[in-house]
Amino acid sequence: MRLLHTSDWHLGRAFHRVSMLGAQAEFIGHLVTTVRERGVDAVVVSGDVYDRAVPPLAAVELYDDALHRLADLGVPTVMISGNHDSARRLGVGAGLIGRAGIHLRTEPSACGTPVVLSDAHGDVAFYGLPYLEPALVKDEFGVEKAGHEAVLAAAMDRVRADLATRARGPQKTRSVVLAHAFVTGGEASDSERDITVGGVASVPAGVFDGVDYAALGHLHGCQTITERVRYSGSPLPYSFSETDHRKTMWLVDLDADGFAGAERIDCPVPRALARIRGTLEDLLADPGLARREEAWVEATLTDPVRPADPMARLTERFPHTLSLVFDPERAPDDPDVSYARRLAGRSDQQIAEDFVGHVRGAGPDEREQAVLRDAFDAVRADEAVREVAR
């Protein structure tokens, strides 16, 4: 059986105010062509179909078009909701849509109920694990403390328990799990929403032991955690931190024994990304930057004093400049270093702890750190509850 593994479409998302809808439509066309030309037997979409819980109409129309085109090919599709999706909205009509071969898995309670497809070697069970917000699903899975590892491990226990019931005779049931999570060893980018709970965002890859392939979503870079645990990444870039990404999908083959190999399929690139850095005059004069002139550009200016009309002057040479950053070359302890620069790369928890230390002269102790952590987790959980209710 040949699978096409993709995720993180983020339909409706813009890139620094530039609409990506046309590029997203081109990607859908590319996906459909790949399915047809490469003999794909099933498509798996591992979450974040939309960019937000209530997507714009144009994004919904593109999603509808994608489903119709996949259904017309007669190739089954298994799709889960991610942390950007509204699981309830994405799952509307799942039973009816399933009759067309589009299998939506958005309910945590259904983690152990697979979509079963068959090939010449027997059955393949596809288990859809939608994004599991720990605060919302801990009761469903009977875990005492809300955390990503605990709820995902409990969901996988249901998967393995169901698989055990399918072991009959010499012909084993092969298994594929779709999950939307941050797995240890993965490399994040700036465009993913933080899912940290209790100070921990990631789960170990060992959670997926016992299945033939884990098709992951959430991280936007295509990457291999283990041979059988992989991220497809997003098909398009959504931040300049993805400048060096090669945007692809995984073409995965299963044989009689399970995982047999994976090949990267490149996605269409609407425009190259480039990060350039230096003084304004140097950037405008450097002949080595000629190849960046047609790229989407993030320019970081290191001038000690902010130059006049920097964006207007930059766009004369780099007409697709979308982001302008000022980072004067100064020592880190210089009092004029910007607040934003001092906070770069620090989590909300770390910023809060720094504030406590600044106000009273000493940072929080372990008990106070736990209080802050619980407060941030409570805010995240409340936001998740309100988004589900919208």
Side-chain angles (χ1 to χ4, degrees):
M1 185 173 290
R2 172 163 284 184
L3 319 176
L4 187 63
H5 167 201
T6 178
S7 72
D8 296 274
W9 295 356
H10 289 278
L11 300 181
R13 185 165 185 160
F15 181 74
H16 289 269
R17 303 178 306 280
V18 174
S19 172
M20 297 293 277
L21 204 63
Q24 289 169 340
E26 185 177 356
F27 160 70
I28 296 298
H30 170 68
L31 182 147
V32 171
T33 299
T34 301
V35 170
R36 184 174 57 247
E37 294 182 351
R38 297 300 301 269
V40 171
D41 300 301
V43 176
V44 295
V45 186
S46 299
D48 281 353
V49 177
Y50 290 122
D51 188 56
R52 55 182 185 266
V54 185
L57 179 59
V60 177
E61 290 173 339
L62 181 55
Y63 168 72
D64 182 64
D65 177 64
L67 296 193
H68 276 85
R69 295 172 73 179
L70 287 169
D72 287 345
L73 289 176
V75 175
T77 298
V78 185
M79 183 179 294
I80 62 172
S81 50
N83 61 304
H84 279 250
D85 299 308
S86 166
R88 291 173 64 185
R89 281 185 168 82
L90 191 66
V92 168
L96 186 61
I97 295 172
R99 297 180 189 177
I102 308 294
H103 305 280
L104 303 176
R105 291 295 183 263
T106 63
E107 291 292 336
S109 59
C111 285
T113 304
V115 175
V116 180
L117 305 177
S118 299
D119 64 7
H121 303 296
D123 290 343
V124 180
F126 291 78
Y127 297 90
L129 279 55
Y131 172 67
L132 302 174
E133 176 61 48
L136 301 185
V137 302
K138 66 182 182 69
D139 293 337
E140 165 65 33
F141 292 106
V143 299
E144 293 183 6
K145 188 172 178 59
H148 289 294
E149 182 175 356
V151 297
L152 195 53
M156 283 300 301
D157 285 343
R158 293 188 184 184
V159 169
R160 284 184 282 266
D162 182 81
L163 261 180
T165 69
R166 299 175 184 276
R168 300 186 185 93
Q171 197 172 54
K172 80 164 192 171
T173 295
R174 291 152 294 159
S175 54
V176 175
V177 166
L178 290 73
H180 196 86
F182 190 163
V183 175
T184 304
E187 183 178 343
S189 59
D190 293 343
S191 52
E192 297 123 8
R193 185 180 294 172
D194 180 30
I195 59 171
T196 301
V197 173
V200 179
S202 64
V203 299
V207 165
F208 300 104
D209 286 351
V211 298
D212 292 296
Y213 184 70
L216 302 182
H218 179 59
L219 299 185
H220 288 184
C222 181
Q223 46 203 300
T224 301
I225 306 301
T226 70
E227 186 181 54
R228 302 184 183 208
V229 180
R230 299 170 186 253
Y231 283 98
S232 66
S234 61
L236 294 166
Y238 294 113
S239 72
F240 278 102
S241 66
E242 301 168 55
T243 297
D244 296 328
H245 286 190
R246 175 186 164 197
K247 294 301 183 181
T248 59
M249 303 176 285
W250 284 114
L251 193 66
V252 179
D253 286 318
L254 303 179
D255 60 16
D257 297 319
F259 179 81
E263 174 190 350
R264 290 179 74 175
I265 304 295
D266 288 297
C267 295
V269 178
R271 189 178 295 277
L273 306 187
R275 279 177 151 171
I276 59 178
R277 180 184 178 91
T279 65
L280 179 59
E281 296 302 329
D282 285 346
L283 295 182
L284 295 177
D286 186 353
L289 295 178
R291 60 193 179 96
R292 307 298 191 190
E293 292 175 358
E294 293 305 314
W296 278 323
V297 167
E298 178 182 75
T300 299
L301 299 185
T302 60
D303 301 76
V305 177
R306 184 178 301 223
D309 299 322
M311 181 61 91
R313 295 177 64 192
L314 274 170
T315 53
E316 288 180 3
R317 182 179 186 189
F318 307 101
H320 305 289
T321 301
L322 301 181
S323 176
L324 186 58
V325 180
F326 292 97
D327 188 16
E329 298 289 359
R330 294 192 178 107
D333 57 353
D334 189 315
D336 290 331
V337 171
S338 72
Y339 184 64
R341 184 177 174 187
R342 293 200 301 272
L343 297 186
R346 301 186 67 75
S347 68
D348 291 343
Q349 175 88 15
Q350 292 170 321
I351 293 169
E353 291 177 8
D354 289 348
F355 177 75
V356 172
H358 174 74
V359 169
R360 72 180 188 192
D365 58 27
E366 289 185 7
R367 183 187 64 81
E368 292 168 329
Q369 289 174 350
V371 169
L372 287 170
R373 191 159 48 245
D374 289 345
F376 282 118
D377 288 349
V379 170
R380 282 192 65 260
D382 181 64
E383 289 176 346
V385 169
R386 284 188 290 168
E387 187 160 288
V388 166
R390 290 176 67 184

